[in-house]
Amino acid sequence: MKRLCARSRWLRLALLLALAPAACGPMYIYGHTTHQVLAPRAAGCVFGVLEAPPPRDFDEIGILAPEDIAFGSTAGGSTSFVDQVRDQVCQAGGDAVIVERDWQMNYERATVIRFKP
């Protein structure tokens, strides 16, 4: 029985280690750039990911940047980036983010905006 429990522990540890790289990635930190206090949006809200400032009026409400600048940002599609920052954007009351990319097209930082009525 002890041998079975030991194998089970090792199996669980191996499974956790195998899944760890999938969960790893840059964590983004949020900083307010305004003194306005905006009501948060609903958890899991939908927001736009823009490559340039939009033509309609907006207010900048914050900045998202990787926690570890040396680590870099998420490469590839915007879905993983959106999932990583969704809670922060919704909590800040953001309607969209204007992304900045590095020379490898990785997300380097994002400006969180709120559209004016």
Side-chain angles (χ1 to χ4, degrees):
M1 187 68 164
K2 284 184 179 180
R3 200 173 231 179
L4 182 60
C5 290
R7 281 188 185 159
S8 177
R9 276 189 229 135
W10 281 109
L11 183 59
R12 281 184 272 171
L13 178 61
L15 181 61
L16 283 173
L17 290 175
L19 293 176
C24 291
M27 298 297 294
Y28 289 85
I29 55 174
Y30 175 78
H32 290 286
T33 56
T34 182
H35 294 293
Q36 288 181 341
V37 178
L38 301 172
R41 296 182 60 206
C45 70
V46 176
F47 58 91
V49 178
L50 311 172
E51 298 284 336
R56 63 189 277 199
D57 291 339
F58 65 90
D59 289 318
E60 177 184 308
I61 58 175
I63 298 290
L64 287 160
E67 190 171 53
D68 183 0
I69 299 299
F71 184 70
S73 301
T74 304
S78 61
T79 303
S80 60
F81 170 77
V82 169
D83 290 340
Q84 289 176 27
V85 301
R86 182 180 312 280
D87 291 341
Q88 294 162 309
V89 174
C90 297
Q91 185 65 35
D95 291 323
V97 294
I98 303 168
V99 295
E100 296 176 30
R101 296 178 186 253
D102 65 13
W103 63 278
Q104 294 177 313
M105 298 306 289
N106 297 325
Y107 290 111
E108 192 164 63
R109 102 183 191 150
T111 302
V112 182
I113 63 171
R114 178 82 178 237
F115 294 118
K116 292 183 178 181

